[in-house]
């Protein structure tokens, strides 16, 4: 039997897992959503290497770029196709824009510990000039990348040849004016800052502040505040590490800044709580301003209650009024003005409650599913097993289960909503809970900031769906 402390640590440190498929959906008259396939990029082969598994997905602030990170330390940036963007109706099709190696595997000789190159999180900075900037992190090191375009070159230098070699000054007998000539577009990614050596434990979250000057990074026990221009110094703003590690009862699972108030941040824990901190009250935010926690239902109490109540992701709404939290079986919506209980609760895969024992044995119970808001905060999306993902409409209270599968990789193939049956006679198009593939899981999702375009990562494939008008 695993001890509670070991369960907590394993829950926090469990490794999670992915190139592109694109699909389109359309809304029908009764409010249900249907989906059809539009475009595919990447491979749909069975032989998938560990390095190709997608580990994070993130749109930039205007949705024109979409970045994915994988377990091999690579970042692939996709750019929205100009034709699809300007077509009527607009289509959500993306092409490869840039690919670069963000992190390499390392080895900590002092601790005899391997540091994986896997990209845990990517966060975009708001665009201030023609270049794009993004933060990427593995378990220990955060990097700030500049992604810029170059479509012109300078010719006719006086002091060097066209190949770059320096000319002998004695051979320079005349002066000439260099000229600028067009060239094939080149997209360059260069590291501008490297933020390292500030985390003892694995980094699970980074979040850019609304002031666009600072950002936070969180590991299992601490949250640090960084300035984007300062790489050798960070401020510890949350520290929950006990004096005696044997007394460890919870770990930090996710953290995020408020979208508008630069002094407010939230972080979730493996105990199922969310704490809101105000940096104006104290330099060290160990004393939270608000604590969001749902009272436990005694009728549902079991050996697994502590594990499945652990929050794997927390996201503040775009308006800043609400936040969503994802635990193992559900997604909850919280009002920042009400700490006592969530205002909405959506079961994601309640049919797995009877399978918790086997999910515990195969470690799936420690999987960390992410969740995301739609651009107008009216809908929520999160993933499940068997490459299922769920969409919840907060206005109509409708929900939809869809499968990101390879058999839709044909143009305009219509996707049917999937249903899972738990026992008895199985209806047509239903799948039995005993037939679900727990090796296929949707852990990472992202929603376009202003349109109904969503990205869903399934192993080494990324599916894009769009609301068809």
């Amino acid at each position: 039997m695993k001890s509670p402390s070991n369960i907590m640590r394993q829950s926090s440190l469990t490794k999670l897992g992915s190139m592109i498929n694109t699909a389109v959906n359309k809304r029908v008259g009764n409010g249900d959503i249907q989906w059809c396939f539009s475009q595919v990029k990447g491979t749909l082969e069975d032989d998938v290497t560990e390095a190709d598994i997608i580990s994070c997905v993130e749109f930039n602030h205007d949705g024109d770029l979409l970045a994915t990170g994988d377990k091999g330390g690579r970042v692939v940036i996709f750019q929205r196709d100009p034709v699809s963007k300007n077509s009527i109706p607009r289509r959500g099709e993306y092409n490869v824009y840039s690919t670069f190696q963000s992190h390499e595997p390392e080895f900590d000789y002092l601790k005899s510990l391997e540091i994986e190159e896997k990209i845990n999180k990517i966060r975009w900075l708001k665009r201030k000039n023609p270049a794009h900037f993004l933060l990427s992190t593995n378990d220990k090191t955060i990097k700030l990348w500049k992604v810029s375009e170059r479509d012109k070159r300078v010719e006719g230098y006086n002091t060097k040849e066209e190949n770059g070699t320096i000319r002998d000054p004695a051979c320079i007998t005349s002066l000439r004016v260099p000229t600028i000539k067009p060239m094939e577009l080149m997209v360059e990614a260069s590291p501008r800052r490297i933020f390292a050596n500030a985390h003892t434990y694995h980094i699970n979250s980074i979040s850019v502040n609304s002031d666009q000057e600072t950002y936070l990074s969180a590991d299992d026990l601490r949250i640090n505040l960084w300035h984007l221009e300062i790489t050798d110094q960070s401020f510890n703003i949350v520290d929950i590490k006990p004096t005696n590690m044997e007394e460890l009862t919870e770990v930090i699972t996710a953290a995020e800044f408020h979208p508008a108030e630069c002094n407010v941040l939230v972080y979730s824990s493996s105990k199922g709580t969310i704490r809101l901190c105000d940096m104006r009250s104290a330099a060290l935010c160990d004393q939270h301003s608000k604590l969001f926690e749902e009272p436990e239902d005694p009728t549902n109490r079991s050996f697994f209650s502590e594990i499945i109540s652990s929050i794997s992701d927390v996201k503040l709404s775009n308006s800043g009024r609400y936040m969503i939290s994802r635990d193992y079986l559900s997604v909850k919506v919280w009002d920042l003005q009400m700490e006592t209980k969530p205002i909405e609760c959506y079961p994601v895969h309640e049919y797995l409650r009877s399978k918790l024992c086997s999910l515990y044995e195969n470690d799936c119970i420690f999987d960390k599913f992410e969740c995301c808001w739609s651009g107008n905060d009216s809908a929520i999306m999160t993933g499940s097993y068997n490459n299922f993902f769920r969409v919840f409409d907060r206005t109509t209270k409708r929900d939809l289960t869809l499968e990101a599968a390879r058999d839709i990789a044909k143009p305009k193939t219509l996707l049917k909503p999937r249903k899972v049956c738990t026992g008895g006679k199985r209806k047509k198009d239903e799948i039995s809970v005993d037939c679900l593939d727990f090796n296929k899981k949707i852990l990472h999702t992202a929603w376009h900031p202003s349109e109904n375009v969503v990205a869903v990562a399934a192993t080494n494939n990324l599916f894009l769906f769009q609301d068809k008008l």
Side-chain angles (χ1 to χ4, degrees):
M1 185 67 67
K2 302 177 183 178
S3 68
S5 61
N6 287 336
I7 290 173
M8 203 65 62
R9 292 173 187 142
Q10 185 176 2
S11 174
S12 169
L13 302 175
T14 298
K15 298 303 176 186
L16 305 177
S18 261
M19 270 202 123
I20 237 187
N21 300 329
T22 304
V24 179
N25 75 46
K26 68 177 181 179
R27 190 177 305 277
V28 294
N30 61 0
D32 294 331
I33 300 176
Q34 293 181 316
W35 310 79
C36 64
F37 185 80
S38 168
Q39 178 190 10
V40 62
K41 295 184 179 180
T43 62
L44 291 172
E45 300 172 358
D46 290 320
D47 188 16
V48 178
T49 62
E50 185 79 5
D52 292 332
I53 297 176
I54 295 177
S55 54
C56 56
V57 184
E58 188 76 9
F59 282 101
N60 73 338
H61 289 82
D62 60 11
D64 281 348
L65 296 180
L66 172 65
T68 65
D70 63 28
K71 286 191 172 184
R74 297 180 297 264
V75 172
V76 181
I77 302 176
F78 301 93
Q79 184 181 47
R80 191 165 189 177
D81 184 270
V83 176
S84 73
K85 180 180 178 180
N86 298 321
S87 65
I88 301 177
R90 300 176 72 176
R91 304 192 308 273
E93 297 177 1
Y94 286 73
N95 300 320
V96 175
Y97 179 65
S98 177
T99 303
F100 58 92
Q101 188 73 31
S102 176
H103 287 72
E104 300 281 356
E106 301 175 48
F107 189 80
D108 187 333
Y109 293 95
L110 293 177
K111 297 181 179 179
S112 296
L113 183 69
E114 290 184 6
I115 302 173
E116 292 184 333
E117 63 271 34
K118 179 175 79 81
I119 308 299
N120 292 340
K121 294 289 180 182
I122 291 175
R123 291 292 181 264
W124 291 91
L125 275 67
K126 287 186 178 178
R127 196 175 184 184
K128 297 180 180 178
N129 54 48
H132 299 273
F133 289 87
L134 62 86
L135 289 167
S136 64
T137 183
N138 66 351
D139 287 340
K140 297 293 183 182
T141 305
I142 306 160
K143 295 184 180 181
L144 174 65
W145 290 89
K146 177 183 179 182
V147 182
S148 55
E149 295 181 352
R150 190 170 66 179
D151 59 357
K152 295 180 176 63
R153 69 176 186 270
V154 178
E155 293 183 353
Y157 286 104
N158 290 286
T159 58
K160 62 181 180 181
E161 304 291 348
E162 298 304 329
N163 60 6
T165 58
I166 302 298
R167 298 176 63 188
D168 183 359
C171 299
I172 302 176
T173 58
S174 61
L175 296 176
R176 53 182 175 173
V177 178
T179 58
I180 298 176
K181 294 188 176 180
M183 61 175 282
E184 185 178 351
L185 177 65
M186 275 183 60
V187 180
E188 299 176 323
S190 55
R192 307 298 290 178
R193 306 275 190 278
I194 297 178
F195 308 87
N197 306 318
H199 285 277
T200 306
Y201 307 96
H202 293 173
I203 299 172
N204 56 48
S205 301
I206 52 176
S207 177
V208 181
N209 202 346
S210 59
D211 61 15
Q212 295 293 300
E213 293 182 357
T214 57
Y215 74 93
L216 66 78
S217 59
D219 64 25
D220 299 311
L221 299 178
R222 297 186 178 99
I223 300 177
N224 292 335
L225 179 67
W226 300 82
H227 194 284
L228 286 165
E229 300 294 329
I230 303 172
T231 60
D232 59 352
Q233 184 179 2
S234 64
F235 297 95
N236 179 232
I237 54 176
V238 174
D239 187 347
I240 66 169
K241 181 180 179 181
T243 305
N244 181 2
M245 284 295 284
E246 293 298 321
E247 300 173 358
L248 179 67
T249 59
E250 66 178 328
V251 291
I252 297 169
T253 56
E256 188 178 52
F257 267 122
H258 191 280
E261 299 176 24
C262 62
N263 53 285
V264 175
L265 63 102
V266 297
Y267 70 91
S268 59
S269 84
S270 55
K271 271 194 168 181
T273 62
I274 305 171
R275 293 174 173 85
L276 184 144
C277 303
D278 191 333
M279 293 190 294
R280 295 174 299 184
S281 59
L284 191 63
C285 298
D286 288 349
Q287 299 298 321
H288 51 268
S289 300
K290 293 184 178 181
L291 176 66
F292 300 86
E293 183 176 16
E294 184 178 24
E296 184 181 4
D297 184 357
T299 60
N300 286 332
R301 179 69 184 174
S302 71
F303 171 78
F304 305 106
S305 296
E306 187 176 344
I307 306 174
I308 64 175
S309 65
S310 174
I311 296 175
S312 58
D313 194 19
V314 60
K315 293 284 176 61
L316 285 153
S317 66
N318 298 288
S319 66
R321 172 69 188 272
Y322 306 99
M323 65 181 172
I324 50 175
S325 63
R326 172 68 204 267
D327 56 43
Y328 190 68
L329 294 178
S330 64
V331 175
K332 297 180 175 68
V333 180
W334 301 81
D335 189 325
L336 293 188
Q337 305 302 320
M338 188 171 75
E339 305 170 52
T340 53
K341 62 179 181 178
I343 58 173
E344 300 165 27
C345 183
Y346 301 98
V348 177
H349 38 217
E350 187 65 25
Y351 46 80
L352 294 182
R353 190 176 290 276
S354 62
K355 302 290 182 181
L356 292 179
C357 187
S358 59
L359 291 166
Y360 177 76
E361 293 299 326
N362 63 18
D363 282 345
C364 284
I365 201 170
F366 300 108
D367 285 334
K368 295 182 179 179
F369 293 94
E370 296 178 2
C371 53
C372 61
W373 289 94
S374 65
N376 60 3
D377 299 336
S378 65
I380 302 163
M381 180 174 61
T382 190
S384 181
Y385 293 104
N386 207 69
N387 279 355
F388 289 170
F389 63 97
R390 306 292 313 279
V391 179
F392 303 97
D393 190 317
R394 298 182 59 215
T395 305
T396 63
K397 304 302 180 185
R398 294 179 182 271
D399 63 90
L400 189 67
T401 301
L402 295 174
E403 182 181 4
R406 67 178 61 193
D407 56 9
I408 68 165
K410 294 179 182 178
K412 299 183 180 180
T413 300
L414 194 64
L415 281 180
K416 296 181 179 179
R418 302 304 305 269
K419 291 185 179 181
V420 178
C421 68
T422 56
K425 191 174 180 180
R426 183 168 61 91
K427 297 179 181 179
K428 186 180 179 181
D429 296 330
E430 286 187 343
I431 182 171
S432 170
V433 67
D434 297 319
C435 298
L436 296 177
D437 188 342
F438 293 103
N439 292 318
K440 296 180 179 180
K441 57 193 80 173
I442 303 293
L443 298 171
H444 313 287
T445 58
W447 204 304
H448 190 287
S450 58
E451 298 180 33
N452 282 336
V453 177
V454 298
V456 177
T459 317
N460 68 321
N461 300 305
L462 186 71
F463 293 84
L464 287 174
F465 300 88
Q466 177 188 347
D467 184 11
K468 190 175 181 181
L469 301 176

